[in-house]
Amino acid sequence: MGEKLLSQSAIRSRVSVGDWEEAVRVCGQLLVDEGYVESSYVEAMINNINELGPYMIIAPGVALPHARPEDGVIQEGISVVVLQDSVEFDSGKDVNVLIGLAAKNKESHIELLQKIAKVISQEETLHQLKQATTTADVLQVFKI
Amino acid sequence: MKILAVCGMGFGSSMMLKMTAEKVLKEKGVKADVETTDFSTASSADADLILTNEEFARQLEGGKTKVIAIKNISDANEVEEALSEVL
């Protein structure tokens, strides 16, 4: 997907957080800093998880926090946060990678989702992503 | 054959699940409609199979449509196994 869809500055690794909410805030703030979303979007991401449950866990250890396009998306894009230590989303559901998603509408982000799918569908890249300790490690995984 | 991929808002993880299911169906040469929907409309929707995560599966079970929970929504093998129950 190249730098256009995952920018280097939208990646953080070895992030230490106290709980899932803080992890989602870090992930959401990256989207804000990239100019992908309004700051209200971050609250919407957290509210969605509170209301609907931790369903955004898309693979063991990987969450895809996001909200709706109308919750303040400016431009589509993703952010990636790899945690130093995993956090619990729900009893027994530990997450150590968060992929923040900003989607403009139902169809436009297919390319982004395909890229994410490619990474998490293969055991090797999924493992590499979870073990990433630098921005370069993360970029490498998404370069496939 | 109609398959529903369900997530909270109907366009994030359900869209990824739909992509995986369509890939599996294509490989198997099976013709089926895969649609995405959000959780709130899923319980009243008409389908042969509902694919979703463990959270929603628990809440959607017990209706007339078979529900299968998927752990890794991009894992073609896991989705193929789920689909084999209705194919």
Side-chain angles (χ1 to χ4, degrees):
Chain A
M1 91 170 129
E3 279 89 281
K4 212 180 82 208
L5 297 179
L6 175 59
S7 109
Q8 196 169 330
S9 49
I11 300 169
R12 291 283 182 280
S13 56
R14 307 186 78 134
V15 175
S16 289
V17 292
D19 56 25
W20 69 264
E21 191 171 325
E22 198 184 340
V24 173
R25 278 187 199 285
V26 172
C27 193
Q29 189 58 44
L30 286 171
L31 295 175
V32 175
D33 294 343
E34 290 296 313
Y36 297 155
V37 301
E38 310 280 354
S39 53
S40 59
Y41 188 81
V42 185
E43 291 308 315
M45 286 163 108
I46 290 166
N47 289 341
N48 275 323
I49 296 172
N50 278 327
E51 279 167 28
L52 299 164
Y55 74 91
M56 293 174 193
I57 296 174
I58 54 174
V62 183
L64 182 79
H66 61 281
R68 293 181 174 81
E70 60 269 28
D71 290 325
V73 175
I74 301 163
Q75 166 189 351
E76 62 187 38
I78 59 170
S79 62
V80 176
V81 173
V82 184
L83 300 176
Q84 178 82 35
D85 298 301
S86 53
V87 289
E88 205 174 340
F89 263 65
D90 188 19
S91 49
K93 288 221 169 60
D94 284 340
V95 163
N96 83 315
V97 176
L98 294 95
I99 302 171
L101 173 70
K104 281 290 273 183
N105 61 52
K106 269 198 163 199
E107 308 298 329
S108 69
H109 62 304
I110 296 289
E111 201 189 338
L112 284 172
L113 294 183
Q114 280 171 340
K115 192 70 203 183
I116 296 167
K118 207 167 174 188
V119 172
I120 67 161
S121 64
Q122 297 165 42
E123 224 166 286
E124 194 187 337
T125 44
L126 180 60
H127 181 75
Q128 279 171 3
L129 179 61
K130 288 180 182 179
Q131 301 295 319
T133 54
T134 65
T135 298
D137 288 347
V138 176
L139 273 180
Q140 185 64 35
V141 171
F142 278 86
K143 227 179 242 173
I144 55 159
Chain B
M1 170 84 62
K2 188 174 159 189
I3 295 154
L4 272 187
V6 177
C7 75
M9 287 173 277
F11 72 91
S13 40
S14 62
M15 193 65 91
M16 292 177 74
L17 200 44
K18 173 184 151 103
M19 296 187 314
T20 314
E22 282 178 339
K23 189 176 141 198
V24 170
L25 290 165
K26 200 179 161 193
E27 278 169 10
K28 284 182 158 306
V30 177
K31 259 194 138 18
D33 285 329
V34 188
E35 285 177 18
T36 61
T37 184
D38 61 50
F39 176 67
S40 57
T41 51
S43 52
S44 56
D46 191 33
D48 298 294
L49 177 69
I50 291 175
L51 296 177
T52 187
N53 63 65
E54 290 172 296
E55 301 297 318
F56 291 157
R58 266 199 296 275
Q59 297 174 63
L60 290 169
E61 264 164 11
K64 61 181 166 61
T65 310
K66 188 169 181 60
V67 182
I68 296 181
I70 303 291
K71 285 194 181 75
N72 182 336
I73 60 172
S74 294
D75 185 335
N77 293 331
E78 187 180 355
V79 172
E80 183 177 352
E81 208 170 294
L83 291 173
S84 68
E85 301 238 356
V86 291
L87 294 180

